[in-house]
Amino acid sequence: MTRTLVGGGGRPGTLPPQVIAILTAELPSLAGEIVEEVRRSVPEYARQAGMSAPAAYQVTVEQAIAAFLDQFSGGGDSYARRDELCRELGRSEAYQGRTLDALQAAYRVGVQVAWRRVASVARERRLPAEVMTRLAEALFAYIDELASLSVEGYLEVRSSADELPGDHRRLLRMVLNPGAASGALAEAAAAAGWAVPDTVTMVAMPSGARCVREAMDGDVLVNLADAEPHLLIPGGYGPERAAMLNRALPERRSAVGLTVPLGEAADSLRWARRALALVEAGCLEDGGPTLCERHLLELWLLSDGPLLDQLARRELGALVAMPRTRRMRMTETLVAWLDAQGNAVEAANRLRLHPQTVRYRMRQISATFDRQLADPAARFVLDAVLRAYRLRERRPALK
């Protein structure tokens, strides 16, 4: 893309170094002000779903402002990072299923905030009118260029999504709709030339995930335009499908649901989305595609956070009053003892302690948890609550 921002076919000219230094000093606070004003002024971004990662947006704004100032200083020969960030904004709008109106409104708000700041600084520092004119012309032309880059990213995703025929999109919606009639699904599948499978495996992807459609098997149904992108793999998830997914999803983060009968596809997708949320929360490790079949216990234990909190208050309430250090010590000892099925020697090996130390601690713990430890059903609940908290918090069971 050309870098002509002001008439004349070249750079917008240079500015005195002291002017560039003055404007550069405004960059961090200006970027934050732009992001906040966009969130305040544009309804789509005022909602959490509209701007789920404010820090990422601020980085984009900072990069754009820095690149703008570089043009005046003679630096910034490479615009690759800035260009990609702007295109990613456009892609994000497309992935969220929105039009470009919100993003274009955000650009308008951004340039207004930027110009107000420049004008204020110019008045305070008494910058020459010639400098102000040059900055104004360059700034408004620059915003047009950034908006064009975002449009490129938006159209890139939309054209990719459009590669999926309309009848395939309808098929995917029908499969995920438990109320869809089997006859209607069979008829739609025949019209699309899609063989109805007995079983399916759903895959959940994060918002904004890149997908290489050319690398996807022809029988896979994909929805990239949804706020929560997903795809359907006919049949199971074996090595060949895994290799395909790795090629088709370069960023690798995704969650693969269980292979289920066709009528239970919505359940497979729900579990996959839950697993993906646990990865993003740090409860499950992000090792490329996360397979639900390897994390069934975690998905079950963490399926209802508020209920888990209620159980913790009932089962572990006695630990709350303890000092933090003692609470951590008692908790890790109890977990090891339960894992070792009451064998103090094995629990000591897990904790790298002397067995007598474990027995001493367990005598203290038994005074508090005597009922739970004596009753098999209560002991199971206690064990489940401790395991769930260890997974969810990735730190001692109680904070």
Side-chain angles (χ1 to χ4, degrees), residues 187-231:
E187 182 179 340
W194 188 67
V196 179
D198 293 328
T199 60
V200 295
T201 306
M202 300 301 300
V203 179
M205 297 173 283
S207 177
R210 288 198 303 120
C211 178
V212 182
R213 287 286 296 133
E214 295 79 4
M216 201 75 71
D217 291 343
D219 60 347
V220 174
L221 304 182
V222 186
N223 187 343
L224 297 178
D226 193 85
E228 296 179 291
H230 53 277
L231 58 87

Side-chain angles (χ1 to χ4, degrees), residues 274 299-313 388-389 392-393:
R274 181 57 181 158
L299 289 169
W300 175 57
L301 290 175
L302 299 176
S303 61
D304 193 327
L307 182 58
L308 172 61
D309 292 335
Q310 289 292 332
L311 279 171
R313 292 189 188 101
Y389 257 80
R392 192 173 75 173
E393 303 301 327

Side-chain angles (χ1 to χ4, degrees), residues 91 94-95 152-166 169 205 209-216 222-225 248-249:
R91 294 187 191 110
Y95 285 129
E152 286 182 20
Y154 183 88
L155 294 178
E156 172 190 325
V157 171
R158 295 307 304 170
S159 62
S160 176
D162 289 342
E163 290 176 7
L164 186 64
R169 290 196 295 271
M205 297 173 283
R210 288 198 303 120
C211 178
V212 182
R213 287 286 296 133
E214 295 79 4
M216 201 75 71
V222 186
N223 187 343
L224 297 178
L249 302 179

Side-chain angles (χ1 to χ4, degrees), residues 132-212:
M132 292 295 294
T133 299
R134 192 181 309 157
L135 281 170
E137 292 177 350
L139 179 61
F140 285 93
Y142 185 71
I143 290 298
D144 287 342
E145 182 178 1
L146 299 190
S148 296
L149 289 166
S150 291
V151 170
E152 286 182 20
Y154 183 88
L155 294 178
E156 172 190 325
V157 171
R158 295 307 304 170
S159 62
S160 176
D162 289 342
E163 290 176 7
L164 186 64
D167 47 9
H168 278 206
R169 290 196 295 271
R170 178 168 173 251
L171 269 174
L172 186 51
R173 287 195 298 268
M174 293 179 70
V175 169
L176 292 173
N177 179 10
S182 58
L185 176 61
E187 182 179 340
W194 188 67
V196 179
D198 293 328
T199 60
V200 295
T201 306
M202 300 301 300
V203 179
M205 297 173 283
S207 177
R210 288 198 303 120
C211 178
V212 182

Side-chain angles (χ1 to χ4, degrees), residues 363-390:
R363 283 195 294 271
Q364 293 180 304
I365 290 172
S366 296
T368 302
F369 294 98
D370 183 62
R371 179 187 63 82
Q372 290 102 315
L373 296 177
D375 179 14
R379 188 167 63 244
F380 171 79
V381 173
L382 181 63
D383 189 13
V385 172
L386 285 168
R387 287 178 183 274
Y389 257 80
R390 289 164 68 194

